[in-house]
Amino acid sequence: MAIKDSLLLYEAFGMINASVLNMDNNNLYIRDASALNKIFVIDKKTFEYKHTISPAQGRGPGEITAIGTFDVFSPYIIITDGSLMKIQIWKTDGRFVNEFILDEISPHRLNMWENERITILSATSSGSDHLFHTIDKDGNRILSFGEISKDNYNPLMYSGSTLTDEEYFYYAGFSEHILKKWDQEGNLEYSIATIDDFPGEANYVTFLSGEQRSFQYTETGYYSAIGFTVYNDYLMILHAGERIRERQLLDFYDKHNGRYLASVELPYLSGSGSIVADDLHIYTLHMIDEEVYLGIYENNLTSLLE
């Protein structure tokens, strides 16, 4: 993979801690974690600043405490506030559309479908035995899927990255080295181990205090998907590896059957794991000398993987 350009985000746009990257056909969307409620919209052709999406800060109507994860499905951008269990829907041009409080669902990841349904990953849903929940644009639950085992329940097991294409929903685990695919009705298409197949239980430590249990990731663990995207027939997993690492791999899988295809080593580390791709480029947020850059790679995946 050939890097075409690397744009210092503080110098270009004043971003101090860019941490989440998304895109649509025309723009890149970058959350600056130092500005709790601000997403920068950048033109993909010119890499010029267009505007920001900035929800009001607070706990009342129309407000959020901080932007968590977000997804873009033009003309909408969907924003989560995990502490309030709230979802806001905006137009990508910065117009507010709608918001709602989720019922017993704490959003960890979310993705929007072409039919304007939203599928949420929630590892800590109260009273639910399922990991994923599909709702409509008004917050009404339509279906739940992905059963959770309540035996020795550990919410850290279910962290990971999600995405949708025209027909299917995909999940790549962070501490569990697993790749899964469902259709829109929650029917499982495949569930496979990713290429490392590291035992997930080696990534956790459990603390007991009476009947209470708490969990942490281990410092010596080996982790899988820190980032996840899809392009044409390929799923790309930005590999986490060890907590302290000197190199980072990008793993490629066939999205139709989950078959592992190849890996390439990236020249720079991406701490946030953000990665997206279009016909021309693959974009990441990577670190150089402790500063965050927008990495712009040529999309040569077809020739690379063939």
Side-chain angles (χ1 to χ4, degrees):
M1 290 176 59
I3 190 162
K4 184 177 180 180
D5 203 353
S6 192
L7 185 66
L8 178 57
L9 292 173
Y10 176 74
E11 183 179 89
F13 309 112
M15 296 186 208
I16 297 174
N17 187 15
S19 58
V20 180
L21 169 67
N22 224 311
M23 74 169 193
D24 60 15
N25 289 334
N26 300 311
N27 303 311
L28 297 169
Y29 300 81
I30 304 174
R31 187 193 74 178
D32 184 0
S34 64
L36 294 179
N37 296 341
K38 189 171 287 188
I39 295 173
F40 288 75
V41 183
I42 311 299
D43 188 285
K44 278 204 299 184
K45 292 182 179 179
T46 64
F47 297 106
E48 293 181 353
Y49 166 82
K50 295 179 74 171
H51 60 272
T52 56
I53 296 171
S54 304
Q57 188 168 358
R59 306 181 68 86
E63 299 175 336
I64 59 175
T65 57
I67 293 174
T69 188
F70 71 93
D71 189 37
V72 179
F73 198 107
S74 192
Y76 298 110
I77 179 167
I78 311 100
I79 295 169
T80 69
D81 182 335
S83 66
L84 298 181
M85 297 174 65
K86 179 184 282 191
I87 287 180
Q88 287 190 342
I89 300 176
W90 293 68
K91 288 290 186 70
T92 54
D93 62 7
R95 288 178 291 163
F96 177 77
V97 176
N98 184 28
E99 71 173 12
F100 49 84
I101 303 293
L102 296 165
D103 181 20
E104 299 182 334
I105 299 174
S106 178
H108 175 58
R109 298 282 186 267
L110 86 171
N111 303 92
M112 195 171 201
W113 298 86
E114 195 169 38
N115 58 12
E116 298 185 353
R117 292 182 176 183
I118 300 167
T119 297
I120 298 168
L121 161 60
S122 176
T124 57
S125 299
S126 174
S128 176
D129 294 328
H130 294 88
L131 186 60
F132 305 103
H133 309 274
T134 298
I135 61 176
D136 65 20
K137 207 169 61 166
D138 295 316
N140 303 304
R141 197 183 314 196
I142 298 170
L143 62 94
S144 298
F145 62 97
E147 289 190 14
I148 295 175
S149 173
K150 292 299 184 180
D151 296 332
N152 298 317
Y153 173 70
N154 177 358
L156 299 184
M157 292 175 58
Y158 304 108
S159 62
S161 302
T162 62
L163 55 87
T164 57
D165 60 14
E166 296 84 359
E167 299 180 78
Y168 297 101
F169 177 82
Y170 304 87
Y171 164 79
F174 171 67
S175 51
E176 300 291 321
H177 292 238
I178 197 165
L179 177 62
K180 296 191 176 193
K181 173 183 175 180
W182 290 267
D183 67 15
Q184 291 194 42
E185 302 307 315
N187 300 306
L188 184 65
E189 297 285 321
Y190 61 69
S191 176
I192 64 166
T194 51
I195 186 62
D196 292 287
D197 198 16
F198 188 81
E201 59 270 17
N203 287 329
Y204 317 112
V205 58
T206 304
F207 300 94
L208 298 175
S209 178
E211 296 183 355
Q212 299 295 318
R213 292 189 300 167
S214 60
F215 308 93
Q216 288 184 8
Y217 293 120
T218 64
E219 292 294 327
T220 57
Y222 194 78
Y223 301 92
S224 187
I226 193 174
F228 194 32
T229 195
V230 60
Y231 174 74
N232 286 353
D233 294 326
Y234 309 121
L235 295 172
M236 290 178 268
I237 293 179
L238 191 58
H239 194 76
E242 298 170 328
R243 295 299 279 290
I244 300 176
R245 58 189 183 276
E246 296 181 354
R247 66 174 193 151
Q248 191 159 41
L249 296 175
L250 183 61
D251 301 332
F252 299 93
Y253 296 81
D254 186 317
K255 76 173 186 179
H256 302 289
N257 54 29
R259 182 172 63 91
Y260 169 77
L261 299 173
S263 298
V264 296
E265 184 174 343
L266 298 181
Y268 302 106
L269 297 178
S270 175
S272 68
S274 289
I275 181 169
V276 290
D278 60 22
D279 288 338
L280 295 178
H281 301 112
I282 298 171
Y283 307 89
T284 67
L285 297 180
H286 62 230
M287 301 288 294
I288 303 176
D289 297 329
E290 298 185 354
E291 293 190 283
V292 183
Y293 288 72
L294 174 66
I296 306 165
Y297 295 81
E298 293 181 6
N299 187 344
N300 59 348
L301 291 183
T302 301
S303 60
L304 182 73
L305 295 175
E306 287 179 353

